[in-house]
Amino acid sequence: MRRWVSNAAFDSTAAPLIRRASSTEGIFVSGAGTLLEAGTGGAPELSRTLLPRHVSMIAIGGIIGAGLFVGSSTTISLTGPAAVISYLIAGVLILLVMRMIAEMAIVLDGVQSFPDFGRAGIGHLAGFLSGWLYWYFWVVVVAVEAIAGAKIIGTWLPGVPVWAI
């Protein structure tokens, strides 16, 4: 479903997101809220800009990484739908922990990184250990992501060994 939005009814705060050739041209808005520009001949075409939601989805895709998809497919194929329920429960727990950290960030003034939350709440040893364990975690994750990516690319290049990719 598309509806026509005239220039007079168009919100001026979103004007930098689109380009218009003339002031008589209008903008199509799809049912999902996607901005469509009036192209040549008056036919609508997609806007050629990145909105904040696009950038955030690209960032989420980069954060998730290849390792999650490789590991998840194996787990789901072996255990069935119970793995999806386990992932859902873990996701809810992570969401709750992130909300707690957000509340602590509002209340505590001198906090600069998340090991400081452990240091302020539990003690110096907790902050020290969480900082170094975080560093160790990312050292291991980078290697695992590289291996998972090489295995995925290895399916496209069957003649090349995984270690060479």
Side-chain angles (χ1 to χ4, degrees):
M1 176 184 133
R2 291 186 183 151
R3 63 185 187 278
W4 176 260
V5 179
S6 70
N7 289 338
F10 183 67
D11 182 14
S12 62
T13 59
L17 299 177
I18 61 163
R19 56 182 170 76
R20 286 181 261 175
S22 69
S23 61
T24 59
E25 223 175 62
I27 300 159
F28 287 100
V29 179
S30 71
T34 306
L35 291 178
L36 301 172
E37 299 176 12
T40 58
E45 63 183 38
L46 290 176
S47 177
R48 300 178 197 270
T49 59
L50 286 176
L51 297 175
R53 69 173 182 240
H54 302 139
V55 175
S56 63
M57 292 306 286
I58 291 169
I60 289 171
I63 291 168
I64 290 174
L68 178 69
F69 295 114
V70 172
S72 298
S73 64
T74 305
T75 304
I76 292 171
S77 69
L78 292 175
T79 61
V84 177
I85 294 170
S86 298
Y87 287 151
L88 181 66
I89 291 170
V92 168
L93 287 175
I94 290 171
L95 177 70
L96 292 174
V97 168
M98 295 305 291
R99 298 259 325 192
M100 290 177 217
I101 290 175
E103 289 181 16
M104 289 176 69
I106 292 170
V107 172
L108 300 174
D109 280 338
V111 177
Q112 297 177 352
S113 63
F114 73 90
D116 290 340
F117 294 122
R119 191 173 292 117
I122 302 172
H124 181 70
L125 182 63
F128 177 79
L129 288 177
S130 66
W132 278 104
L133 286 173
Y134 183 72
W135 175 85
Y136 177 74
F137 167 77
W138 280 110
V139 166
V140 172
V141 165
V142 166
V144 170
E145 289 287 330
I147 292 169
K151 284 187 176 184
I152 291 172
I153 293 173
T155 60
W156 298 329
L157 305 170
V160 181
V162 174
W163 63 265
I165 298 174

